[in-house]
Amino acid sequence: MSENRSALIVDDERDIRELLVLTLGRMGLRIDTAANLGEAREQLSRNTYDLCFTDMRLPDGNGIELVGEISRNFPRTPVAMITAFGNIELAVEALKAGAFDFVSKPVDLTVLRGLVKHALELNNAERAAPTPPPPEQASRLLGSSTAMATLRDTIGKVARSQAPVYIRGESGVGKELVARTIHEQGARAAGPFVPVNCGAIPAELMESEFFGHKKGSFTGAHADKAGLFQAAHGGTLFLDEVAELPLPMQVKLLRAIQEKAVRPVGAAQEVQVDVRILSATHKDLGELASDGRFRHDLYYRINVIELRVPPLRERSSDLPQLISAILDRLAEQHGRNAPSVSPDAMTELRRYAFPGNVRELENILERALAMADGHSIEVEDLYLPQAGAARGGEPGASPGTIVSPVDLDPAGGPLPSYIEQLERAAIQKALEENRWNKTRAAAQLGITFRALRYKLKKLGME
């Protein structure tokens, strides 16, 4: 590390100050110290720091005050909170106030060095530029609407933190892309980004998948295996559809996040892990927590920062830019020139509510590109579901209202048969909207991956 890097340590305990001075000094940093808020403010007025550590309780005030002041006045200075061991509530409060991360007393030097490394990388101008999102995903964060400008601005801010982020939004809005962008714009960009769909892992294999296992720990464990936490070490673990986690696994996940350590199945010792947790779901996680279907303590731990991704119907002004970008990409994939969209077709697209959001827009345009005869996409090429979703411009229609995609009459046969037809139609629609990705189709339908597989087999749709 550069000898020009500097850090400010604010703590009224001399032993803690000396430990941090010694440890950070060996990492090549120049250190200043302060025993209270007044001294810290004086140091900050005279010097610029690459990193700051502050204790929670100081003789003349609360460390949270200092966190807020540094976040507002010195946004390029990451600040980490020193908390008493196990005081997760105060640590979360510090993260919400703008702290980069926190470290518990007694200080674990290995954890401390990792924290310092990531903090300094935030302002490391020599660090390689993050890899841009893949072209097929980039379209989902395009748009000049106020909603998208706010989202991009918020992503830029949360990327500088290590705080857990809960990404909330409907199916198809691009929650995983948002998570990837947070990872790529942050200090962990050089580390792995590990996405996991929590609804696609069988309950009996969850502990092994998340934490790994030792050879012989259960039938079929023929070799040691690292889990998802270990795979994401030094980077980001993205828990998609986190609401699908069963309650027993939620307890174990909470402990792993709090202790920054996991115990592989069959292992005697815990393994330290350094990961940032991002999570997402299309369900209302707060409501699930209120109903007892999701643990309150885990909800508050992963929901330090909540990020809402707006549905497409709330940013219809972005449609022309999105459509142009998607058609350019699809045309390039098919080795042809991108067609234009006729005014009438654009009007129809603007009126449509897009219950499947950007993912559905991509599917509609891909089908239209295949169906269009000339160099322009017409209304008849879109095949927009007339009964599949209410039109945003029709009187009395609520945006995104889902109606039966087929005209079924319950009086035309026995009830089980009628319900079977409804299930078949809903599953068919979800599969088409998700390009036959069963994991995503299950998430859109609000059922588990295993439940979808069962229904496909039962209905003869495999």
Side-chain angles (χ1 to χ4, degrees):
M1 292 187 185
S2 170
E3 60 184 14
N4 295 325
R5 295 299 182 93
S6 60
L8 174 64
I9 297 167
V10 186
D11 200 303
D12 60 337
E13 295 184 46
R14 177 177 294 181
D15 290 348
I16 295 293
R17 293 201 303 271
E18 290 178 352
L19 174 64
L20 294 179
V21 167
L22 182 62
T23 304
L24 272 61
R26 286 176 176 170
M27 297 179 74
L29 278 76
R30 178 184 63 79
I31 310 298
D32 288 335
T33 64
N36 53 54
L37 276 177
E39 292 180 11
R41 286 166 178 151
E42 184 180 349
Q43 295 275 28
L44 286 164
S45 68
R46 295 198 310 251
N47 305 294
T48 300
Y49 296 101
D50 298 287
L51 172 63
C52 176
F53 283 92
T54 180
D55 192 15
M56 178 65 72
R57 293 185 175 85
L58 297 167
D60 53 350
N62 192 311
I64 295 287
E65 296 178 44
L66 188 61
V67 170
E69 290 177 21
I70 292 176
S71 296
R72 290 190 301 272
N73 302 325
F74 309 98
R76 295 190 61 80
T77 300
V79 54
M81 179 64 70
I82 305 170
T83 66
F85 178 76
N87 199 334
I88 296 300
E89 291 78 10
L90 288 177
V92 169
E93 187 180 345
L95 292 170
K96 286 183 175 179
F100 164 78
D101 207 339
F102 67 91
V103 61
S104 299
K105 298 178 183 178
V107 177
D108 184 315
L109 296 184
T110 302
V111 172
L112 177 66
R113 293 189 188 99
L115 187 155
V116 171
K117 176 177 176 291
H118 285 304
L120 294 181
E121 283 178 353
L122 283 175
N123 290 324
N124 188 356
E126 298 176 357
R127 182 166 59 87
T131 304
E136 65 270 18
Q137 296 175 342
S139 61
R140 293 185 188 171
L141 284 187
L142 288 178
S144 54
S145 63
T146 302
M148 287 307 292
T150 301
L151 177 62
R152 287 192 295 266
D153 182 60
T154 306
I155 287 173
K157 291 177 181 177
V158 302
R160 293 182 53 81
S161 169
Q162 291 300 290
V165 178
Y166 166 51
I167 303 167
R168 180 169 60 90
E170 298 174 6
S171 293
V173 293
K175 296 187 290 293
E176 182 174 335
L177 175 64
V178 169
R180 286 184 182 275
T181 307
I182 292 171
H183 169 77
E184 290 163 357
Q185 291 185 6
R188 296 175 177 266
F193 176 85
V194 179
V196 52
N197 188 316
C198 298
I201 304 175
E204 62 272 16
L205 296 179
M206 268 195 176
E207 189 172 357
S208 170
E209 287 295 311
F210 274 99
F211 308 140
H213 63 249
K214 303 297 289 183
K215 178 180 178 180
S217 56
F218 55 85
T219 303
H222 302 301
D224 290 356
K225 177 189 174 183
L228 295 165
F229 269 85
Q230 293 97 313
H233 183 73
T236 303
L237 181 62
F238 174 52
L239 304 176
D240 198 7
E241 296 307 334
V242 69
E244 300 300 326
L245 287 172
L247 287 170
M249 189 61 202
Q250 292 177 27
V251 178
K252 295 172 182 177
L253 179 63
L254 176 64
R255 187 180 186 284
I257 294 173
Q258 290 183 168
E259 304 300 329
K260 298 184 179 181
V262 299
R263 187 191 300 275
V265 177
Q269 301 294 328
E270 288 189 332
V271 178
Q272 292 293 317
V273 287
D274 170 28
V275 300
R276 184 182 189 182
I277 299 292
L278 306 180
S279 58
T281 180
H282 70 285
K283 297 182 177 180
D284 188 332
L285 206 57
E287 182 179 322
L288 293 177
S290 298
D291 293 346
R293 288 176 287 169
F294 198 86
R295 290 184 62 94
H296 274 97
D297 45 9
L298 179 59
Y299 171 62
Y300 291 122
R301 190 65 185 85
I302 65 175
N303 190 23
V304 173
I305 299 173
E306 183 173 306
L307 194 58
R308 179 179 179 269
V309 185
L312 188 53
R313 63 180 175 274
E314 290 184 8
R315 55 186 190 102
S316 57
S317 62
D318 292 333
L319 269 174
Q321 187 178 359
L322 282 166
I323 291 169
S324 176
I326 293 169
L327 286 176
D328 284 345
R329 168 172 55 81
L330 292 173
E332 183 178 357
Q333 290 175 358
H334 290 85
R336 55 178 288 189
N337 293 326
S340 60
V341 178
S342 72
D344 287 345
M346 183 64 76
T347 299
E348 288 297 294
L349 288 167
R350 284 183 179 276
R351 292 180 62 208
Y352 184 57
F354 290 103
N357 293 293
V358 180
R359 186 186 298 138
E360 184 181 11
L361 173 62
E362 291 174 340
N363 293 342
I364 288 170
L365 293 176
E366 187 167 17
R367 182 173 60 234
L369 187 66
M371 300 302 293
D373 292 326
H375 299 294
S376 176
I377 291 176
E378 304 296 334
V379 174
E380 57 268 23
D381 299 321
L382 297 174
Y383 290 90
L384 292 179
Q386 298 300 313
R391 299 297 184 100
E394 292 178 355
S398 58
T401 301
I402 305 299
V403 188
S404 172
V406 290
D407 185 16
L408 298 174
D409 181 6
L415 183 61
S417 176
Y418 170 67
I419 293 174
E420 206 170 87
Q421 291 179 66
L422 283 176
E423 281 192 331
R424 185 188 301 276
I427 291 172
Q428 179 75 19
K429 183 173 184 291
L431 287 170
E432 288 177 356
E433 289 180 353
N434 291 282
R435 301 181 187 178
W436 299 90
N437 183 312
K438 293 178 183 177
T439 300
R440 293 189 175 182
Q444 181 172 321
L445 290 164
I447 61 176
T448 65
F449 178 75
R450 296 178 72 195
L452 177 60
R453 288 183 60 186
Y454 169 77
K455 289 181 180 296
L456 289 171
K457 185 175 182 179
K458 174 187 172 185
L459 298 169
M461 297 176 65
E462 286 189 318

